[in-house]
């Protein structure tokens, strides 16, 4: 029986971890769900919520930092953070470039490992900082995994 893949923002994952008593001592759930962080920056609040990280599915550093500085420029110009986030993605062609990155050997290897885990019955949730209303690289990663599973 195959598992599943889902996506979740860090804030939602935090809420889920607090609301489920079984996660108070160990975030890993008894139902086989593994929360995998795929972000560049790993702060304590992030590491406390995810079961493991897979940095090969995070945006490459050059792409991340270009997006970050572009977002900051938009915010300095008065855009709200969510709008600045999405506008920065558009301006630097973030998703087109991230899709190209997903074709690299490094990313393909990580996708293969996760695909096999899902085929073996593990439920995986991809976690990143991006919250509601923000475009996020976790969605194309999930789409790639689902296409490999013929979902």
């Amino acid at each position: 029986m195959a598992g599943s893949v889902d996506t979740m923002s860090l804030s939602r994952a935090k809420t889920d971890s607090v609301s489920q008593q079984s996660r108070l001592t160990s975030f890993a759930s008894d139902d086989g769900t593994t929360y995998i962080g795929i972000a560049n920056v790993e702060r304590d609040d992030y590491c406390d919520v995810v079961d493991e990280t897979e940095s090969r599915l995070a945006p490459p550093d050059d792409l991340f930092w270009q997006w970050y500085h572009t977002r900051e420029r938009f915010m300095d110009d008065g855009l709200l953070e969510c709008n600045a986030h999405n506008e920065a993605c558009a301006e630097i062609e973030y998703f087109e470039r991230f899709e190209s990155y997903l074709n690299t050997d490094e990313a393909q290897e990580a996708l293969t490992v996760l695909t096999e885990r899902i085929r073996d019955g593990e439920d995986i949730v991809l976690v990143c900082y991006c919250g509601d209303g923000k475009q996020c690289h976790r969605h194309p990663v999930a789409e790639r995994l689902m296409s490999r599973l013929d979902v």
Side-chain angles (χ1 to χ4, degrees):
M1 181 171 145
S4 64
V5 62
D6 199 0
T7 65
M8 191 176 290
S9 68
L10 177 64
S11 61
R12 170 100 186 277
K14 283 181 184 180
T15 300
D16 282 5
S17 71
V18 169
S19 67
Q20 297 179 17
Q21 288 294 324
S22 65
R23 293 179 183 255
L24 290 177
T25 57
S26 172
F27 191 72
S29 67
D30 293 335
D31 66 359
T33 301
T34 305
Y35 288 71
I36 301 176
I38 59 170
N40 291 63
V41 180
E42 296 178 13
R43 301 183 315 228
D44 287 345
D45 62 340
Y46 181 77
C47 294
D48 289 346
V49 172
V50 299
D51 297 308
E52 61 188 77
T53 59
E54 179 49 84
S55 60
R56 296 175 296 180
L57 295 175
D61 285 343
D62 61 331
L63 178 58
F64 173 80
W65 289 111
Q66 185 181 9
W67 163 82
Y68 180 85
H69 294 300
T70 304
R71 182 195 67 163
E72 293 298 304
R73 180 173 45 83
F74 279 122
M75 289 173 54
D76 288 345
D77 290 344
L79 278 181
L80 296 175
E81 200 274 336
C82 184
N83 293 336
H85 175 107
N86 293 338
E87 287 296 321
C89 288
E91 181 169 302
I92 68 165
E93 299 179 333
Y94 181 94
F95 287 98
E96 294 83 352
R97 293 167 61 192
F98 185 70
E99 287 285 350
S100 292
Y101 168 73
L102 288 178
N103 293 324
T104 65
D105 291 343
E106 180 179 33
Q108 288 294 306
E109 183 179 299
L111 289 167
T112 298
V113 168
L114 291 183
T115 300
E116 290 306 313
R117 288 171 61 176
I118 295 165
R119 282 192 179 123
D120 288 343
E122 189 173 356
D123 295 321
I124 291 176
V125 177
L126 303 172
V127 179
C128 182
Y129 291 97
C130 304
D132 293 338
K134 295 178 182 175
Q135 299 171 350
C136 182
H137 75 286
R138 67 182 181 262
H139 302 294
V141 172
E143 289 169 10
R144 291 277 184 118
L145 289 169
M146 288 186 283
S147 71
R148 287 168 166 243
L149 297 164
D150 298 324
V151 175

